[in-house]
Amino acid sequence: MTIRVMLVDDQMLLRTGFRMVLAAQPDMEVVAEAGDGVEALQALRTTEVDVILMDVRMPKLDGVETTRRVCAEADPPKVLILTTFDLDEYAFSGLKAGASGFMLKDVPPGDLLAAIRAVHSGDAVVAPSTTRRLLDRFAPMLPAGPQQPRHKELERLTDREREVMVLVAHGLSNGEIAARLVLSEATVKTHVGRILTKLGLRDRVQVVVLAYETGLVRAGGHG
């Protein structure tokens, strides 16, 4: 199955470089390119796309707002934010807007390809340590937990699911959570799936953000 990729970046040279890397892959095809968010949204009306590589700083419509609009559509493509700095308010805002992850623009080609495949398969692509640093830095931008309208949704979780959600928010992988709670990795995966379903979330990145928004986990501290 071929992964249909759209490149959205105002630097043509960068798009050319990415296109050359992707074109060499038997399971990937660049089906569209855009120099800004407006062009990207127009292209999506006529082109089926699985994964978007989205720059954040662009004229007309930046990558964060474009991501928000893309992810508001029914059955949207996955968005992978491209950023220059990993501790960047754009990266944080992109995750909040619905991106499945972010990568640095100078990422090695092999890592970029792995990220595209992971996002396409439904995984989130943000290193746990980077997610934690991002959220610790930008937590002051988040509303206080009790005022969050979605706070009540956490009551749908069982005690075990809440426990797993805290560990996900702390950046632990399924394997690490399994070891910590003395469970099988398959059981942890099931718990994570139920958390996503009950809370209407798409991936682990959204679990982390919601855990901070609701006060389940606090910046620099523990849940």
Side-chain angles (χ1 to χ4, degrees), residues 68 91-99 142-143 205-206 209 213:
R68 187 174 291 111
F92 175 79
S93 299
L95 297 181
K96 289 265 295 170
L142 297 171
V205 171
Q206 292 191 331
V209 172
E213 283 184 330

Side-chain angles (χ1 to χ4, degrees), residues 2 5 7 10 33 60 65 70 73 79-80 84 90 96-98 106 126 134 146 149 162 180-182 188 190 207 221:
T2 301
V5 181
L7 305 176
D10 60 340
E33 293 186 37
K60 296 184 184 176
E65 180 58 28
V70 167
E73 296 292 324
V79 177
L80 194 55
T84 309
Y90 286 101
K96 289 265 295 170
D106 60 358
V126 189
L134 263 179
R162 187 184 283 255
R180 179 79 64 91
L181 300 180
V182 197
V188 172
T190 298
V207 171

